[in-house]
Amino acid sequence: MTEFELEIMTPERHFYEGKAQGLTVTLPDGLFTILGGHAPMVAALEVGELRYKTDGQWRECAASEGFLEVMSDGHVIVFVQACENADEIDVGRAKAAAERAKERLSSSESIREYEMSRIALARAMNRLRVKGRSRYI
Ligand code: ATP
């Protein structure tokens, strides 16, 4: 299988940099997998699943919104607002964030407030899903 160079970055850190044999990200219309040799593209990423295959093994993390670029030399760059491995996720914090977001959702008084709360709830549920603690898969 063709390998490609993958970089996963957040504003705070270089989450991953190295070879990969596959990458699955969440686009607005669903999951999308990239293999080596993919045509150049850019895409907006939604909060959700982000998996990448290195050393023949898929690794899953919780990713927030961002974007993806496949460059003409095959290099793939993912830039997301936040990204955590399962062992970095604080379940208590994610549950508290989910509760706060649900309360804000039900009392939203503007579309902007509603959207912010919806995305915050998605981030929290995604973290719980990656940690295996969510019914919302
Ligand atoms: P919170 O309200 O708990 O801050 P949030 O969804 O608003 O949650 P983000 O803005 O997405 O948080 O992330 C801010 C920073 O905190 C990022 O570095 C992110 O990786 C980290 N982070 C957020 N929630 C968790 C969590 N449950 N466990 C570990 N790290 C987290």
Side-chain angles (χ1 to χ4, degrees), residues 12 64 82-84 88-90 93-94 97 100 123 127:
E12 293 166 356
S64 295
C83 191
E84 303 96 34
E88 296 175 312
I89 294 171
D90 177 335
R93 178 173 169 180
R100 280 197 308 277
R123 287 197 302 270
R127 290 178 174 125

Side-chain angles (χ1 to χ4, degrees), residues 24-117:
T24 297
V25 291
T26 305
L27 302 189
D29 55 354
L31 295 179
F32 182 74
T33 296
I34 287 174
L35 302 174
H38 198 282
M41 65 175 279
V42 290
L45 303 182
E46 300 241 305
V47 174
E49 189 166 330
L50 194 163
R51 290 194 300 137
Y52 58 104
K53 191 177 183 184
T54 55
D55 302 325
Q57 195 185 337
W58 283 97
R59 295 157 210 275
E60 183 170 19
C61 42
S64 295
E65 58 276 38
F67 65 84
L68 159 99
E69 179 172 7
V70 182
M71 301 174 84
S72 52
D73 64 0
H75 193 139
V76 178
I77 298 176
V78 173
F79 197 53
V80 283
Q81 197 59 42
C83 191
E84 303 96 34
N85 290 310
D87 62 2
E88 296 175 312
I89 294 171
D90 177 335
V91 169
R93 178 173 169 180
K95 283 185 174 170
E99 287 311 312
R100 280 197 308 277
K102 280 187 217 166
E103 277 168 30
R104 286 202 311 266
L105 257 183
S106 57
S107 61
S108 296
E109 290 186 351
S110 69
I111 291 175
R112 180 173 160 71
E113 214 181 314
Y114 174 85
E115 272 303 307
M116 301 268 290
S117 307

